[in-house]
């Protein structure tokens, strides 16, 4: 990539960050999140066109780390076809677990758990790679912002019915839906229901820190789920004498209660491994930039879908 201009995208469900980098010159632009009910590649192409229009940049390479990327959508050649008018000549696409890992740990071996609206864990060892969860809000994402928000709504309605303990989360939910018995109808009719549900995770974090027992239970349960994903992933890649780093990133870990519980559970349950909890080197967007220079011998290179214009 030496000397080449890169347009990198960190594409999540809540938002998309675009970074235009040429040498030491870097500019970031923000866009709305992926609409999971629409085709992915046209959305990425629209973001690239908009970023170029807004900044006047002339990138040669486009890279993207994408939440929930599937083989069906991982067609870098097709994306280049949608960008034929831009002068971009190379494209590299990867699941955001790959770019989260590269951004957080670079070439270090270990595991990264990235928990925002969704969650995915990726572990990279000497000769193996393991992904755990990242299966979306309908089938997985245990411990994610959506998972926490969904648990909060469930707890509020249990309290409303008399099936569960009272919680100050009820007041939070009533701020959005004053009539709790009508809330489910309004939520089901909302196109952005995933982000709406995930938005309650911030209130769970705040009330857990304030001592609300229901919020605290949800938070510690999320921490257990996230720690389980990490130890499971590490168990699939580690050798007995490996020393591995673990990095926890994403908005969910802004909760001091959750982060502390996660560290405690990880320390308790990872006695079979020599691991160290470390701070991230960078973010997902840094990992997206790194795709442009990822060598073919890197363990994660097989997870990157690339194409070059002819």
């Amino acid at each position: 990539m030496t000397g080449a201009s890169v347009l990198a995208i960190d594409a999540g469900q809540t938002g998309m960050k675009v970074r235009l980098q040429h040498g030491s010159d870097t500019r970031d632009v923000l866009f709305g999140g992926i609409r999971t009910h629409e085709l992915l590649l046209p959305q990425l192409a629209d973001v690239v066109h908009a970023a170029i229009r807004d900044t006047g940049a002339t990138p040669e390479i486009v890279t993207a780390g994408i939440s929930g990327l599937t083989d069906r959508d991982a067609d870098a050649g097709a994306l280049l076809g949608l960008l034929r008018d831009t002068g971009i000549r190379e494209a590299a696409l990867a699941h955001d677990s790959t770019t989260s890992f590269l951004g957080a740990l670079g070439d270090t071996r270990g595991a990264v758990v990235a928990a925002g609206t969704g969650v995915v864990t990726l572990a990279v060892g000497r000769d193996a790679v393991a992904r755990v969860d990242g299966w979306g809000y309908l089938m997985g994402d245990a411990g994610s912002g959506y998972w926490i928000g969904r648990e909060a709504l469930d707890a509020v309605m249990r309290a409303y019915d008399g099936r569960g303990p009272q919680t100050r989360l009820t007041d939070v939910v009533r701020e959005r839906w004053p009539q709790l018995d009508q809330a489910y109808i309004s939520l089901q009719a909302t196109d952005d229901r995933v982000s709406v549900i995930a938005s309650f995770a911030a209130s769970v974090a705040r009330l857990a820190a304030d001592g609300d027992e229901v919020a605290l239970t949800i938070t510690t349960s999320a921490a257990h789920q996230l720690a389980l994903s990490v130890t499971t992933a590490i168990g699939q890649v580690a050798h007995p004498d490996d020393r591995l780093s673990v990095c926890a990133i994403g908005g969910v870990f802004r909760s001091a209660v959750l982060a502390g519980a996660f560290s405690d559970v990880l320390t308790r349950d990872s006695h079979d491994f020599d691991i160290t909890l470390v701070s991230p080197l960078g973010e997902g967007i840094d990992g997206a930039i790194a795709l442009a220079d990822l060598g073919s011998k890197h363990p994660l290179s097989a997870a990157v879908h690339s194409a070059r214009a002819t």
Side-chain angles (χ1 to χ4, degrees):
M1 189 198 77
T2 304
S5 177
V6 179
L7 186 154
I9 306 171
D10 182 22
Q13 299 174 56
T14 303
M16 283 190 261
K17 177 183 282 189
V18 174
R19 175 166 295 171
L20 294 123
Q21 182 167 307
H22 183 75
S24 60
D25 182 22
T26 298
R27 285 173 287 175
D28 289 344
V29 188
L30 300 177
F31 295 90
I34 295 170
R35 300 178 295 278
T36 56
H37 59 287
E38 298 181 15
L39 293 174
L40 172 66
L41 295 182
Q43 294 181 67
L44 294 180
D46 287 345
V47 165
V48 172
H49 281 113
I52 291 173
R53 182 178 63 249
D54 293 348
T55 63
T58 55
E60 301 165 73
I61 302 171
V62 61
T63 63
I66 304 157
S67 174
L69 182 67
T70 64
D71 290 343
R72 180 196 67 181
D73 293 321
D75 190 337
L79 179 60
L80 282 180
L82 296 172
L83 300 174
R84 63 174 60 90
D85 60 330
T86 65
I88 292 174
R89 54 183 176 79
E90 293 183 38
L93 307 178
H95 192 276
D96 66 341
S97 60
T98 297
T99 49
S100 291
F101 188 98
L102 292 171
L105 290 182
D107 284 334
T108 303
R109 299 299 179 254
V112 173
V113 52
T117 298
V119 63
V120 65
T121 299
L122 191 69
V124 177
R126 287 186 240 168
D127 48 22
V129 175
R131 168 182 159 181
V132 171
D133 210 344
W135 307 128
Y137 69 96
L138 289 176
M139 297 176 66
D141 286 354
S144 68
Y146 175 90
W147 187 94
I148 293 169
R150 174 65 180 78
E151 291 291 303
L153 293 178
D154 181 80
V156 166
M157 299 319 296
R158 286 179 178 274
Y160 178 81
D161 288 340
R163 293 178 291 139
Q166 295 301 310
T167 169
R168 282 183 284 162
L169 288 167
T170 297
D171 295 332
V172 174
V173 175
R174 273 206 168 105
E175 289 178 8
R176 185 177 185 97
W177 300 297
Q179 291 182 272
L180 286 183
D181 61 347
Q182 300 299 306
Y184 74 103
I185 296 295
S186 297
L187 182 59
Q188 289 172 8
T190 302
D191 288 339
D192 60 345
R193 65 182 70 89
V194 173
S195 59
V196 168
I197 292 171
S199 71
F200 290 105
S203 295
V204 174
R206 174 175 56 82
L207 291 175
D210 287 345
D212 184 273
E213 288 297 329
V214 171
L216 184 59
T217 296
I218 293 170
T219 300
T220 54
S221 295
H224 277 77
Q225 294 291 335
L226 296 167
L228 175 61
S229 289
V230 170
T231 55
T232 300
I234 286 177
Q236 296 178 37
V237 305
H239 292 260
D241 57 342
D242 281 346
R243 302 180 66 182
L244 301 172
S245 297
V246 173
C247 190
I249 62 175
V252 163
F253 289 102
R254 294 191 190 110
S255 165
V257 176
L258 185 146
F262 171 81
S263 177
D264 290 344
V265 175
L266 190 65
T267 300
R268 184 195 71 199
D269 293 350
S270 61
H271 51 82
D272 291 335
F273 313 111
D274 184 359
I275 67 170
T276 302
L277 193 59
V278 300
S279 299
L281 299 173
E283 303 176 336
I285 191 65
D286 299 297
I289 286 285
L291 290 180
D293 273 333
L294 194 66
S296 60
K297 294 184 179 180
H298 194 285
L300 289 173
S301 63
V304 181
H305 305 263
S306 302
R308 182 189 295 265
T310 57

